[in-house]
Amino acid sequence: MFDFDPATVRTEEIDRISREAERTLRDLTEALGRLGEVTGEGEAAGGMIRAIVDGEGRIRDVRFDPRVMRQGSEGLAEAVVSAVRAAQEDAQRRTAEVLGSALEDPLGGAFPDASGGRAESSGDGREPGRPADRALDIDRARRRLEAIQDSFLDSMEGRMARLERFRNGSG
């Protein structure tokens, strides 16, 4: 992956690699921190119902415009579900953006819809995906990001130790 011959590496290159490694680690650490701040917003019934969920799809808030109370209970329930689903899709997209900013590929397609914009329910009754599936994707993404970070740190520590031994003439 990063194989090199220490005898051909210049000090400037080592410094550049070290700076890049520090930047990459900083980006990964920041992305992990931002994952906890992700929320999603969705609306339904022409904007009269708004929902907010956290990054794992758990409901944080649901707001009703007083005019929506004129709907029957079944229509109101369907609109609430649509708003929550739209918010969950938005949270999924925002999570993909956070992870995608730290990695070139947003985790190999774990988050297929990162098209941008605020989520709005289509109202067609189609199931966009179960929230539990998204939570698993987010958990899988976090685990993968942490594994990448750990692997990167281990790899860089070993490489830096070998370079230091080489610099000291013992390697």
Side-chain angles (χ1 to χ4, degrees):
M1 179 187 215
F2 294 111
D3 291 331
F4 60 91
D5 178 8
T8 64
V9 177
R10 294 186 329 256
T11 303
E12 299 83 29
E13 250 182 280
I14 293 170
D15 292 340
R16 181 188 56 80
I17 291 169
S18 179
R19 283 191 308 274
E20 287 178 15
E22 289 173 5
R23 181 189 50 80
T24 300
L25 182 57
R26 187 176 50 249
D27 291 349
L28 289 172
T29 302
E30 288 174 9
L32 281 172
R34 288 191 316 263
L35 282 177
E37 301 169 2
V38 169
T39 61
E41 298 179 25
E43 53 185 46
M48 291 191 289
I49 298 177
R50 294 179 177 260
I52 298 175
V53 300
D54 66 18
E56 294 182 12
R58 291 185 298 252
I59 299 170
R60 284 203 174 159
D61 190 31
V62 176
R63 301 283 171 137
F64 298 95
D65 183 298
R67 296 173 293 166
V68 80
M69 302 309 275
R70 297 179 189 143
Q71 291 188 17
S73 62
E74 286 184 25
L76 187 58
E78 288 175 12
V80 169
V81 169
S82 292
V84 169
R85 284 186 182 151
Q88 290 168 332
E89 291 170 0
D90 186 43
Q92 179 183 15
R93 179 192 57 78
R94 290 178 185 201
T95 297
E97 288 174 358
V98 167
L99 295 174
S101 71
L103 304 171
E104 289 181 18
D105 173 23
L107 303 181
F111 303 98
D113 181 16
S115 57
R118 185 176 172 150
E120 170 84 36
S121 171
S122 62
D124 63 4
R126 147 181 87 91
E127 179 81 18
R130 296 189 325 266
D133 292 341
R134 282 189 211 97
L136 289 175
D137 282 350
I138 292 168
D139 288 342
R140 187 180 85 195
R142 281 189 178 131
R143 285 192 308 271
R144 182 167 176 197
L145 190 57
E146 288 169 352
I148 289 169
Q149 183 180 21
D150 291 345
S151 173
F152 181 78
L153 283 173
D154 291 345
S155 173
M156 287 309 297
E157 285 175 10
R159 293 182 196 314
M160 295 307 286
R162 283 195 308 266
L163 286 170
E164 191 60 34
R165 284 193 309 269
F166 178 75
R167 279 183 176 169
N168 294 332
S170 61

